[in-house]
Amino acid sequence: MNRIYLELGPKKVFACSLDWPGWCRVDKSEELAIGRLMDYAPRYRVVASRAGLDFEPGDPVVVERVKGGPTTDFGAPEAMPLADTAPMTAETARRDVALLEAAWALFDETAAASPEELRKGPRGGGRDRTKMVNHVHEAERSYARKLGVRHPPYESAADRDAMRAELAAILSRPWSGQVGKGEWAPRYATRRLTWHVLDHLWEMQDKRP
């Protein structure tokens, strides 16, 4: 459970766990990105615990490097590793989805407990709570299309929960390893979804007054 891959952009590098979806961090070099990933291990342990899993990954081992691009440098992963195209059992899929669902629950709880106005960056940048929550929801709807799931903009929490339930059901299935053009492998989709939720969960926690 200590396998990681590195996504190499022109200026930045993502270090991402292959087996712990959402545990991904970015920095300016391979060494710094791996160090930042490990710095966030205690915060990720909270997610794993919520999912009912023990999180003791050990020292990271780089098993793959993939070429990134402008999106990598912007601060979001964009390249799917070859490892994600391997067949996946239902047991592994359900485990990954449990971590995604834990991230969703923690994000919703953090948003509910956070003030509307969050601290801004040194140049005044950053979103307040409602805009951050809406951004996460809209990104989920966009990501879902990579799996053939299409929902209109949410009008209620029930709409959000319906799409999440549909995503969870699809991502919990065993997978043969066949991915169509322009589609995401389920394991990559789960990682990307969970990463985005956790990235803004942790941002929200860090920007509380």
Side-chain angles (χ1 to χ4, degrees):
M1 305 305 288
N2 61 345
R3 301 181 306 157
I4 69 170
Y5 70 93
L6 301 176
E7 180 179 315
L8 310 176
K11 297 179 181 179
K12 291 186 179 180
V13 178
F14 260 98
C16 295
S17 170
L18 282 166
D19 300 297
W20 296 99
W23 189 31
C24 301
R25 292 286 89 192
V26 65
D27 216 306
K28 295 180 180 179
S29 70
E30 293 188 9
E31 182 179 358
L32 290 173
I34 294 171
R36 185 171 293 274
L37 183 74
M38 298 310 294
D39 288 344
Y40 273 73
R43 301 181 84 165
Y44 192 88
R45 186 171 286 110
V46 175
V47 183
S49 178
R50 183 62 172 265
L53 299 170
D54 292 329
F55 179 69
E56 298 297 338
D59 294 333
V61 175
V62 178
V63 298
E64 189 174 344
R65 287 174 171 82
V66 296
K67 183 178 179 180
T71 303
T72 315
D73 288 350
F74 180 73
E78 66 171 86
M80 184 167 64
L82 183 62
D84 283 346
T85 63
M88 184 171 56
T89 65
E91 180 182 9
T92 298
R94 287 194 297 266
R95 174 190 173 278
D96 284 0
V97 169
L99 289 158
L100 171 59
E101 291 175 331
W104 277 333
L106 290 165
F107 180 84
D108 292 346
E109 291 168 8
T110 299
S114 296
E116 174 60 25
E117 186 173 343
L118 300 174
R119 287 189 298 105
K120 302 301 186 292
R123 298 181 181 178
R127 301 178 179 91
D128 284 326
R129 183 196 63 199
T130 298
K131 288 185 177 180
M132 191 181 297
V133 170
N134 290 341
H135 166 71
V136 170
H137 290 168
E138 285 305 302
E140 284 179 357
R141 291 198 317 110
S142 176
Y143 294 166
R145 290 195 287 271
K146 295 288 188 178
L147 297 162
V149 176
R150 288 175 171 79
H151 279 249
Y154 304 143
E155 295 185 2
S156 66
D159 291 343
R160 176 203 64 196
D161 292 345
M163 197 194 77
R164 286 178 175 178
E166 187 174 350
L167 279 173
I170 290 173
L171 294 171
S172 295
R173 300 169 184 165
W175 189 61
S176 65
Q178 300 295 319
V179 60
K181 184 177 181 180
E183 295 179 349
W184 284 351
R187 194 154 218 207
Y188 179 78
T190 305
R191 181 183 308 112
R192 183 72 176 265
L193 281 159
T194 311
W195 162 77
H196 195 244
V197 172
L198 292 181
D199 193 53
H200 289 293
L201 162 64
W202 293 332
E203 179 188 6
M204 195 182 303
Q205 290 174 338
D206 291 343
K207 289 186 175 180
R208 287 173 173 175

